[in-house]
Structure formats: C-alpha cells, structure tokens
C-alpha cells in the first residue's frame, strides 16, 4: 500500500490540538502577513516567530501550514494572488531613436557576410566576419568615446604643470624663515 504525500506529511508532522487562545495568537501573528504569494515562506517564518514569542513555545511551521489549510483553501488563494511585479514576457528591441544607425550598419554587414559566405568557404568567411566585427567594434567604441566629454585633469600637489611659475615647479625659498604651508 502506497502513501500519498499528504499522508506522509501528516504522519511526520506532529498533530497539534489548537486551543482558542492559540488560534487568537495565530490570527494576531498573521496580522499584515499573508502566507501566499512569492514571499509565503518568508512570511511563514515571521508568523512562526511571532507565534513562538506570544505562546512562549516553538510551533513548527509545517504544523501552522496544516492548521491554516484546515481553515482556508490555500491553493485557491495562491492562484488568485497577484504578483507585485509585471511578469509578462516581451520581445526586446533597441529604441530606434538612439540605435537606428547602428542597427542599419549591422544589417548591412549581415547582408555582406551572407553574400561572401555564398561565394567562399567557411574558414575564409569566418575570418572576415571576425575582422568586420572587430572593425565595427572599433568604430562603435570610437563613436562612444567621442560622445563622452573630456574633463580637464585635476591638479594635485607634485603634479607637473604647464605654468612656469606654479608652486609645483618653483623651488621653495631657502633663505626665508617663514613656514611653508602645504
């Protein structure tokens, strides 16, 4: 005779007789925490901790799950629970306003590669593809670097300056008794 998973869980989980006081404390522990949805196991850990503090004894989470299943249809609640984030799958495409030139170049390169692969064998076409990809990557990185504004380098103490009378290139006065500020 084979046992179902519910029968196995029932035989391994200690059955607890829930008193009215324990039920009240359970409902108090459930305040603000729904044991359904994406975070149900985290919420159950919080519920079990709250219940243990209120009753001054540990109650296993599986016993709490079992008692909640007798009061509620948790499977149905799980089905109607909405996700807190969008879970729709969409095809990704780059915005045309920013990437239309790069997409057009890539399409042209693919067309050229297709024509070349028809005329030559695979080894020659792969080496050319790699070289065109490298050229394309160089052009893209050059374009991106050209778009980034250049900053003037910060002067630090001890850096060489283009000014001839800057403090970094002039030697300190030797005959002065004044202290030099650094």
């Amino acid at each position: 005779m084979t046992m179902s998973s519910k029968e196995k869980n029932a035989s391994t989980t200690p059955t607890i007789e829930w008193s009215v006081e324990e039920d009240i404390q359970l409902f108090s522990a459930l305040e603000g925490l729904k044991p359904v949805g994406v975070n149900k196991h985290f919420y159950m850990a919080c519920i079990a901790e709250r219940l243990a503090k209120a009753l001054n004894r540990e109650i296993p989470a599986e016993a709490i799950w079992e008692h909640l299943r007798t009061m509620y249809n948790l499977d149905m609640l799980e089905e109607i629970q909405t996700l807190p984030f969008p879970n729709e799958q969409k095809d990704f495409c780059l915005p045309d306003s920013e990437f239309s030139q790069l997409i057009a170049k890539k399409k042209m390169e693919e067309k050229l590669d297709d024509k070349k692969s028809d005329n030559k064998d695979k080894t020659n076409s792969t080496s050319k593809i790699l070289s065109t990809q490298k050229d394309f990557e160089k052009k893209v990185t050059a374009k991106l670097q050209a778009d980034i504004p250049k900053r003037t380098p910060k002067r630090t103490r001890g850096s060489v300056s283009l000014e001839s009378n800057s403090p970094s290139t002039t030697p300190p006065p030797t005959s002065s008794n004044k202290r030099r500020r650094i």
Side-chain angles (χ1 to χ4, degrees), residues 21-146:
E21 177 65 27
E22 290 170 337
D23 277 342
I24 291 171
Q25 293 301 327
L26 175 63
F27 291 130
S28 174
L30 281 168
E31 181 181 357
L33 302 172
K34 293 188 288 185
V36 292
V38 177
N39 298 322
K40 64 183 171 187
H41 296 289
F42 296 109
Y43 290 150
M44 182 52 71
C46 293
I47 292 167
E49 184 180 342
R50 286 180 181 178
L51 193 59
K53 284 181 182 177
L55 297 176
N56 293 325
R57 66 184 175 102
E58 294 289 325
I59 296 180
E62 191 56 44
I64 300 171
W65 281 117
E66 184 179 320
H67 188 60
L68 288 175
R69 281 188 200 100
T70 62
M71 293 189 289
Y72 302 105
N73 186 353
L74 293 180
D75 295 330
M76 183 60 70
L77 289 173
E78 188 72 36
E79 287 179 19
I80 63 173
Q81 180 67 30
T82 59
L83 292 174
F85 50 85
N87 197 22
E88 298 174 8
Q89 291 185 354
K90 297 180 181 178
D91 290 335
F92 175 77
C93 66
L94 295 170
D96 288 335
S97 62
E98 297 176 21
F99 297 98
S100 61
Q101 292 176 348
L102 293 174
I103 292 171
K105 285 181 184 178
K106 187 68 175 173
K107 286 180 182 178
M108 290 298 292
E109 288 177 359
E110 287 176 358
K111 288 179 182 178
L112 291 174
D113 290 341
D114 289 342
K115 290 179 182 179
K116 288 179 182 179
S117 65
D118 290 341
N119 296 335
K120 297 183 180 182
D121 61 8
K122 291 180 181 180
T123 56
N124 290 338
S125 64
T126 55
S127 64
K128 288 186 179 185
I129 290 172
L130 291 176
S131 66
T132 55
Q133 285 178 348
K134 288 178 183 177
D135 292 339
F136 178 73
E137 289 172 1
K138 287 179 183 177
K139 289 176 185 176
V140 169
T141 54
K143 171 94 170 129
L144 291 175
Q145 288 175 352

